Amino acid sequence: MYQALYRKYRPQTFDDVSGQLAVTQTLKTQLITGKMSHAYLFTGSRGTGKTSCAKILAKAVNCLNPRDGNPCNCCEACRSIDSGACMDVLEIDAASNNGVDNVRDLRDDAVYTPSQVKMRVYIIDEVHMLSISAFNALLKIIEEPPEHLLFILATTELHKVPATILSRCQRFAFRRLSQEDIAARLQYVAYQENIDLDDSAARVLARMADGGMRDGLSLLDQCASATVGELTAEKVYTCLGIAGERRCGELMGYIAAHDTRKALGLFNSLYAEGKDLAALLDEMACLTRDLLILKTAPDAGIAMLSGVVSDSETAKLAKAFSGGELTHMMERLEETMAAFTRSDSRRLDAELCIITLCQPELRLDAAGLNARLTRLEEQIKSGSFSAFPAKPGPEPAQQEDDDRPPLPDDADAPPASAEEETASEEAPMGFWTDLVGSIRQELLPPTSGFFVATPNAPVQGVLRGSQVVLKCANAFTLEMVNKPEILALTARKASALLGRPVTAAAVDQTAAPEGNPRMEKLMRFGREHSDIVKIKE
C-alpha cells in the first residue's frame, strides 16, 4: 500500500530533524547526561517537527543501545514503538479526548509500571484543546509523576495552555523552517523517490509550504503524482492552480501603470485557465508585502522577502508605488480574501478588487485618499509632477492643393541676434533649477507656485548677457511676477549664483513683441489676405 511521503520520510533520529538544531541538541545533551525532565511542552506552527521529536524522545529514553543521544532504531524497544505495538508509549489526540473523564482514566493508568519498556510515555498532541476541568485533573500527576512516567505535550496555540501547566513543563519552541531547509529536504526526498525535481520547482514548493515541512512534502507528493517527466516550476503552478511569479508580476505591473483594461484581461485569462482566485489574491498580497518591505526598509528588508517574484523584478516594481498605495492595496486584498468565505460570487469580488487597485480614485475612503496623496507627494519629490501639464495641440491639418498664397517661412525671418544665440550658453548648468529653489525659499503662496523647475512651468528663465529674463506663460502670470520686489529678489539671487551683478525683467510670451520684423511681416500678411485667413472662434 502506498504511503504518503511525509509519513514515509518522518525523521527517526534527532539528527534527521531539519532546522531545529537548538531543540534537538538540548534534548540529546539531556539524554547523554541523564538530566531528563518529567514533562516537556513542544510549541510551534504546524509541520515543524513537534510530534516527530516527541516520538524520537520516547524511543530514546527506552532505547537499549542509544547512540550519542539518538535511538538506535534497531533494538526491540525502538521497533515496538515505531510499529505502534508498544502499550507503554501512548499518543493521545486531545482534540477528540478533551474531557475530564479521559484525563482521569489516563491518571489512573499512569501509576502502573511499564510492562515492555523502561518508561511509560504519554504524548498528548494539541493539548490546548483540553477543557479547563481536564487541565485541572492533569495538574497533580504532571507536577509529581512516578519515576517511570514521562509526559510530552505538543500544541500550536501556546496562549490557550494555562499558566499552571506551563510552569510544570520544560518548554521548547519550534521555529518555522526556512525555505532553504525545506527545499534541501525536498531535493533529498525527490532523489530517494526517483523524482526529477527542478531547483526552481523546489523553491516554489518551499515557499508554498510556509515554514512547514509536512506541507512541503504533501505538495511534492501531489505534484509528482500529477506530472510525468521533470517537475518544473510551471508544472507546479499548473498542478496547484496558482498564477506563478511571471504572471503575478505582470498583473502588478498593470496595476502600477493604472491600466485597468490589461489587468482585467490578464485576470480573465487566469480565471479561464482555472486558477484559484484565493491563491491568486494571496500571491498578490505576498508580492505587495515584499514591495512594502523594500519601500520602507530597502536594505534590511531583503532577507524578509517571500520570493513570490524575483528580486530584480521586485525592486523595479517597488519604485512604481508609494508606501501609502501599497498599504491601501494590502488592506484591500485582505478585505477581499476575508469576504471570500461568505461570498456567492468570488469572481465579481476579485474583479472589483483589481479595478479599485488600478483606479484608487474610485474609493473616497481615508485609505484611498491617503494612497493618492502619498503618490502625489513622491512625484513632487522626484520632480516628475507638473502643476501645469501641457495641453495637447491640435493635429496638423491635411495639406490640400489650393490657390492660396504661401505663408512666409522662416527663411524670410531676420537672423537671431548674437545675444539670443549665446543666451543659453552663458548660463551654467543647473542655473535655473538652483535659482528657482533659492527664490521659493523667500516667497509665499500663491506667488511661489509660479517658480518651479519643470518643462511646463508658468515661468521660464533665460540668461541674456547681464539680465535674467522671466518668460511668463500668459498675461496673468506676468501681472503676478512683474513686481519690483520679485524682480529685485530674482536679480539678487541670480547675482549670488553667478558671482556678478545682473538685473531681472519679466515678459509675456503670448504678446507680440514690438519692433520684431518677423512678427510685423506675419501681421501684415494677415491684413493683406484677410479674405482667406479665417480665425477659428
Side-chain angles (χ1 to χ4, degrees), residues 311-323:
D311 293 345
S312 59
E313 290 293 330
T314 304
K316 187 185 300 182
L317 284 172
K319 297 179 181 179
F321 293 99
S322 66

Side-chain angles (χ1 to χ4, degrees), residues 77 177 181 200 239 251 275 277 343 452 493:
L177 302 180
D181 291 338
S200 60
C239 182
L251 180 58
K275 304 299 183 183
L277 297 182
S343 175
V452 290
K493 294 293 186 180

Side-chain angles (χ1 to χ4, degrees), residues 452-518:
V452 290
T454 57
N456 299 317
V459 176
Q460 296 288 343
V462 62
L463 180 63
R464 292 180 178 171
S466 60
Q467 187 179 55
V468 176
V469 180
L470 302 179
K471 296 183 177 182
C472 302
N474 46 53
F476 172 74
T477 305
L478 177 65
E479 182 180 353
M480 297 294 294
V481 173
N482 192 19
K483 297 178 181 179
E485 60 273 15
I486 296 179
L487 296 179
L489 175 63
T490 304
R492 178 163 53 86
K493 294 293 186 180
S495 300
L497 290 174
L498 297 173
R500 55 187 175 89
V502 294
T503 60
V507 297
D508 183 4
Q509 294 188 96
T510 61
E514 298 179 0
N516 189 330
R518 182 179 179 188

Side-chain angles (χ1 to χ4, degrees), residues 109-429:
D109 294 339
V111 297
Y112 298 106
T113 57
S115 59
Q116 296 176 285
V117 292
K118 293 184 293 184
M119 295 191 68
R120 182 184 292 271
V121 182
Y122 285 95
I123 301 174
I124 305 179
D125 202 6
E126 302 297 336
V127 69
H128 64 272
M129 299 294 289
L130 290 179
S131 62
I132 297 299
S133 56
F135 274 122
N136 293 333
L138 192 63
L139 283 178
K140 186 61 179 178
I141 192 169
I142 205 174
E143 181 180 12
E144 298 177 358
E147 293 184 357
H148 62 266
L149 193 59
L150 175 64
F151 282 99
I152 306 176
L153 315 180
T155 179
T156 56
E157 300 184 35
L158 180 63
H159 61 280
K160 293 184 179 180
V161 180
T164 51
I165 296 293
L166 297 178
S167 62
R168 290 165 169 81
C169 303
Q170 280 194 10
R171 191 190 316 174
F172 289 87
F174 286 69
R175 68 181 185 89
R176 287 182 180 271
L177 302 180
S178 65
Q179 295 186 17
E180 292 76 13
D181 291 338
I182 297 177
R185 183 66 175 178
L186 293 180
Q187 290 285 17
Y188 168 77
V189 173
Y191 175 77
Q192 296 293 329
E193 294 292 318
N194 295 321
I195 300 173
D196 191 2
L197 180 63
D198 185 62
D199 290 339
S200 60
R203 289 194 297 270
V204 173
L205 292 173
R207 175 172 59 84
M208 296 295 294
D210 192 25
M213 185 67 74
R214 181 172 61 242
D215 291 355
L217 290 172
S218 297
L219 292 173
L220 174 62
D221 204 353
Q222 176 184 348
C223 296
S225 61
T227 58
V228 178
E230 183 181 14
L231 184 57
T232 61
E234 291 299 328
K235 292 183 179 179
V236 171
Y237 296 148
T238 303
C239 182
L240 300 182
I242 57 180
E245 62 178 24
R246 181 181 62 82
R247 305 185 79 175
C248 185
E250 185 180 356
L251 180 58
M252 193 64 72
Y254 292 148
I255 294 175
H258 300 288
D259 195 337
T260 310
R261 182 182 63 84
K262 290 184 178 179
L264 287 178
L266 179 57
F267 171 79
N268 184 64
S269 63
L270 293 174
Y271 181 79
E273 293 173 7
K275 304 299 183 183
D276 183 46
L277 297 182
L280 173 60
L281 294 188
D282 183 65
E283 284 184 279
M284 294 178 62
C286 291
L287 178 54
T288 305
R289 169 194 171 274
D290 290 351
L291 297 178
L292 186 59
I293 289 175
L294 279 183
K295 199 72 178 179
T296 55
D299 297 326
I302 295 178
M304 300 171 61
L305 301 184
S306 61
V308 179
V309 177
S310 61
D311 293 345
S312 59
E313 290 293 330
T314 304
K316 187 185 300 182
L317 284 172
K319 297 179 181 179
F321 293 99
S322 66
E325 282 183 301
L326 293 172
T327 304
H328 171 252
M329 290 169 59
M330 178 66 75
E331 293 176 352
R332 187 72 184 94
L333 289 168
E334 292 293 337
E335 290 174 3
T336 306
M337 288 190 291
F340 271 1
T341 56
R342 57 182 183 276
S343 175
D344 295 330
S345 179
R346 290 191 171 189
R347 179 180 182 180
L348 180 61
D349 293 343
E351 287 176 340
L352 182 60
C353 175
I354 292 176
I355 290 174
T356 54
L357 293 183
C358 292
Q359 301 180 16
E361 63 272 12
L362 296 179
R363 297 191 65 182
L364 299 179
D365 56 351
L369 293 175
N370 179 64
R372 295 163 62 185
L373 287 175
T374 53
R375 184 180 185 90
L376 183 61
E377 289 174 351
E378 293 202 0
Q379 288 179 345
I380 293 175
K381 288 180 182 179
S382 62
S384 60
F385 171 77
S386 174
F388 297 88
K391 295 182 179 180
E395 297 182 357
Q398 187 176 0
Q399 295 183 357
E400 299 178 359
D401 295 334
D402 53 23
D403 298 332
R404 292 179 293 182
L407 291 173
D409 55 12
D410 291 343
D412 299 329
S417 63
E419 184 181 3
E420 291 180 349
E421 290 182 353
T422 60
S424 60
E425 298 178 1
E426 293 181 3
M429 183 172 296

Side-chain angles (χ1 to χ4, degrees), residues 426-452:
E426 293 181 3
M429 183 172 296
F431 166 72
W432 176 244
T433 303
D434 296 338
L435 179 60
V436 165
S438 59
I439 290 175
R440 287 176 61 89
Q441 293 178 358
E442 299 191 16
L443 288 180
L444 297 175
T447 310
S448 60
F450 294 98
F451 291 89
V452 290

Side-chain angles (χ1 to χ4, degrees), residues 59 63-65 67 71-80 82:
K59 289 191 296 183
C63 182
L64 302 179
N65 302 303
R67 301 172 183 175
C72 67
N73 293 317
C74 298
C75 65
E76 183 180 355
C78 290
R79 292 199 306 269
S80 176
D82 281 335

